[in-house]
Amino acid sequence: MTNDLRSVSISNVRYMALTFIVSLAFGIFFPLKISIATEYQIYSYHNVPPFVVSDNKGLSHDLVNYLNRHGNKRFQFKLKILPRKRLDNLLKANSDIIIPWVSPDWFGSDAKTRFEWTAPLISDGNVYFSRKDRSIEVKSMGDLEDLLLGGVLGHRYARIDNEVAKGAFSRMNAPHERNLIKMVVGKRVDIGLMAESSARYLVWEEKLSEEIYFSTYKHSIFLRRFLVSGYLPQVREFLDSMILRMKDDPEWAAIKSRYQLPIEIN
């Protein structure tokens, strides 16, 4: 009886060892092609149209969905909207994060070398807009003299704040971009200033194209890119490859058309 049990135990051990060896060899010569996409967080502080137009809708959401459709089972992204101050804290900690729609000029003098930057996603700029019944062209700061300029609360505009401090003209702030459009239409300010991407989308959405005039001359022009913080070289390469693809992709062109985006790079 004991010998029989011993024989069975030895046989089991030999069987298990043989099974392990066969499995190992099979894995070496016929590796299973199973890949699980790595998930990355995309943080954005742009919570205004066209980037966010309602819950889970907007250009930022469409961008993330587009990237996920073409992630080749290697990359998956999740979008999180958070205030700029919280984002700055994450950057100070050198966290591995990705931020869309931004320019190096907005993150300090060392931003170009401190962070990784992709090729431009879109070109944008700050534009002046007024009522068509009193259309205003702004070629220089002198054209704003004695006018009441509307801006967005918390936004800084090059040269504008200095001229306001000198008393060359006055500035009134709106809490949000949508409110600023209404201030111009309602004649509470003479002229407004905001990002062209937001202004053109809101004018289209509010059906105000017959009432709003956009100055031919922009206040500024800038390129919106991805900022990549931490050490994510493969992500940076993937994003750049996707931006290159976007230029001739009808799918991306259809996404852009939903938001009345200004003339842009891709």
Side-chain angles (χ1 to χ4, degrees):
M1 184 76 172
T2 304
N3 290 336
D4 290 341
L5 288 173
R6 211 174 271 169
S7 298
V8 171
S9 298
I10 293 172
S11 298
N12 287 341
V13 171
R14 287 175 177 172
Y15 175 77
M16 291 172 65
L18 181 62
T19 302
F20 173 77
I21 292 171
V22 171
S23 299
L24 182 62
F26 187 87
I28 292 173
F29 293 105
F30 305 98
L32 295 177
K33 294 184 178 180
I34 298 174
S35 59
I36 300 175
T38 304
E39 187 174 277
Y40 297 93
Q41 194 82 53
I42 288 183
Y43 292 93
S44 178
Y45 62 93
H46 291 94
N47 62 348
V48 299
F51 306 105
V52 174
V53 298
S54 63
D55 290 343
N56 299 318
K57 290 185 179 179
L59 182 58
S60 292
H61 293 281
D62 286 347
L63 171 65
V64 170
N65 291 336
Y66 178 89
L67 295 175
N68 287 339
R69 284 194 295 274
H70 300 285
N72 298 323
K73 297 182 179 180
R74 293 177 56 215
F75 302 95
Q76 281 289 299
F77 301 92
K78 286 185 67 176
L79 177 65
K80 184 176 179 63
I81 308 296
L82 77 174
R84 173 64 190 265
K85 287 185 178 180
R86 286 183 57 193
L87 192 90
D88 287 339
N89 289 334
L90 290 173
L91 291 175
K92 286 179 182 177
N94 202 33
S95 303
D96 290 344
I97 58 174
I98 306 152
I99 307 169
W101 316 123
V102 290
S103 165
D105 296 336
W106 307 340
F107 291 87
S109 58
D110 64 342
K112 289 182 180 178
T113 54
R114 183 182 171 196
F115 307 115
E116 294 288 330
W117 299 89
T118 66
L121 272 164
I122 62 172
S123 62
D124 202 348
N126 288 317
V127 292
Y128 297 103
F129 56 98
S130 52
R131 299 181 304 278
K132 280 192 175 178
D133 61 2
R134 192 195 174 192
S135 58
I136 302 171
E137 285 287 2
V138 182
K139 295 182 181 179
S140 67
M141 291 292 101
D143 295 323
L144 292 170
E145 287 185 7
D146 302 321
L147 295 178
L148 179 55
L149 171 74
V152 180
L153 183 66
H155 287 217
R156 297 179 180 178
Y157 306 102
R159 305 185 306 280
I160 292 289
D161 297 331
N162 288 338
E163 294 301 311
V164 170
K166 293 177 186 177
F169 54 87
S170 300
R171 171 178 171 176
M172 179 184 290
N173 290 321
H176 301 289
E177 282 78 355
R178 193 181 300 276
N179 299 91
L180 181 52
I181 296 284
K182 293 178 180 178
M183 285 170 60
V184 172
V185 173
K187 301 182 180 181
R188 294 178 57 197
V189 294
D190 298 309
I191 191 168
L193 177 61
M194 72 166 76
E196 185 174 11
S197 53
S198 293
R200 292 197 180 274
Y201 176 82
L202 289 169
V203 167
W204 169 79
E205 184 187 63
E206 298 287 342
K207 298 179 173 59
L208 295 172
S209 58
E210 297 301 316
E211 298 183 51
I212 293 293
Y213 174 78
F214 286 96
S215 175
T216 305
Y217 305 93
K218 299 182 182 182
H219 168 268
S220 58
I221 297 173
F222 48 82
L223 302 176
R224 295 186 183 270
R225 308 169 185 266
F226 279 106
L227 179 160
V228 181
S229 172
Y231 184 71
L232 299 170
Q234 292 182 331
V235 174
R236 158 72 190 279
E237 290 175 9
F238 170 74
L239 293 175
D240 267 330
S241 69
M242 292 306 302
I243 291 170
L244 184 63
R245 175 196 179 111
M246 288 173 176
K247 292 182 179 181
D248 301 309
D249 189 352
E251 181 185 354
W252 179 244
I255 291 172
K256 291 188 300 181
S257 68
R258 298 176 198 163
Y259 300 103
Q260 308 297 305
L261 290 180
I263 297 172
E264 54 187 81
I265 289 175
N266 74 49

